[in-house]
Amino acid sequence: MYASSPSDASASLFEDLGVLQFLLEPAHRSDLDSYVTQVLGPLIAYDREHGSHLVDTVAAYLRCNCHLQHAAAALFVHHKTMSYRLARVSTLTGLRLDDQEDRFRLHLALKILGLQDKVSSRETGARPAPDAGWQASSPPGRGPLTAPGAPA
């Protein structure tokens, strides 16, 4: 019979902690990049390969508090198109949009991606592309989303 020891528990991979890894140790840019790639990588690759807008779709859906019709209106698409895109998001990422933890993972990855876009545009002196700043548009009745602690 195999008995687990404390050293076996510590052998689990740091990356397996998901979001919790950022609470245990200060995040480095490479950690943040890795997290974005882990969560949004399949969507970013799919968008690049197919000219689709799945990252924007999931961002709008989350911005609109998971209200399908509001998100569809924000993107100027039919609600069935929105529903199809969200199903594709779930298929590609393995995340369930009806699960709060999965929505949190997506939202955090989108926030990190948005901050990376801002930092990259400052470093190059270029203005971010309209679709690069996914938080540029906002749900009805709300202002644009900003990073925590940033001036509104």
Side-chain angles (χ1 to χ4, degrees), residues 29 112-126 128:
R29 176 128 187 190
I112 294 168
L113 183 64
L115 290 173
Q116 288 172 337
D117 289 341
K118 286 181 182 180
V119 169
S120 294
S121 65
R122 284 184 186 154
E123 289 172 354
T124 62

Side-chain angles (χ1 to χ4, degrees), residues 21 25-26 31 46 48 51 64 67 85 115 124 127 136 142:
Q21 66 185 300
E25 182 177 296
D31 295 333
Y46 189 90
R48 189 176 300 127
C64 292
H67 193 279
R85 288 181 181 180
L115 290 173
T124 62
R127 296 180 57 88
R142 296 187 124 178

Side-chain angles (χ1 to χ4, degrees), residues 2-39:
Y2 176 76
S4 172
S5 69
S7 63
D8 293 335
S10 65
S12 66
L13 293 175
F14 188 65
E15 293 81 24
D16 289 343
L17 294 174
V19 173
L20 297 177
Q21 66 185 300
F22 301 125
L23 300 176
L24 298 175
E25 182 177 296
H28 299 283
R29 176 128 187 190
S30 62
D31 295 333
L32 298 174
D33 291 343
S34 177
Y35 185 77
V36 169
T37 300
Q38 178 185 357
V39 176

Side-chain angles (χ1 to χ4, degrees), residues 5-152:
S5 69
S7 63
D8 293 335
S10 65
S12 66
L13 293 175
F14 188 65
E15 293 81 24
D16 289 343
L17 294 174
V19 173
L20 297 177
Q21 66 185 300
F22 301 125
L23 300 176
L24 298 175
E25 182 177 296
H28 299 283
R29 176 128 187 190
S30 62
D31 295 333
L32 298 174
D33 291 343
S34 177
Y35 185 77
V36 169
T37 300
Q38 178 185 357
V39 176
L40 295 177
L43 300 182
I44 293 168
Y46 189 90
D47 282 351
R48 189 176 300 127
E49 186 175 324
H50 295 93
S52 58
H53 302 281
L54 296 181
V55 173
D56 293 336
T57 297
V58 74
Y61 181 70
L62 294 173
R63 242 188 351 265
C64 292
N65 296 314
C66 303
H67 193 279
L68 185 80
Q69 285 79 12
H70 288 167
L75 293 177
F76 304 103
V77 299
H78 193 274
H79 67 90
K80 288 184 179 181
T81 300
M82 188 72 181
S83 184
Y84 171 80
R85 288 181 181 180
L86 292 173
R88 174 64 71 188
V89 166
S90 291
T91 299
L92 291 170
T93 62
L95 299 173
R96 294 181 31 218
L97 292 171
D98 62 347
D99 180 80
Q100 189 275 334
E101 287 292 322
D102 285 349
R103 287 192 311 270
F104 177 75
R105 287 181 186 96
L106 286 163
H107 200 106
L108 180 60
L110 287 165
K111 287 285 192 186
I112 294 168
L113 183 64
L115 290 173
Q116 288 172 337
D117 289 341
K118 286 181 182 180
V119 169
S120 294
S121 65
R122 284 184 186 154
E123 289 172 354
T124 62
R127 296 180 57 88
D131 62 343
W134 60 269
Q135 65 274 53
S137 61
S138 57
R142 296 187 124 178
L145 299 175
T146 56

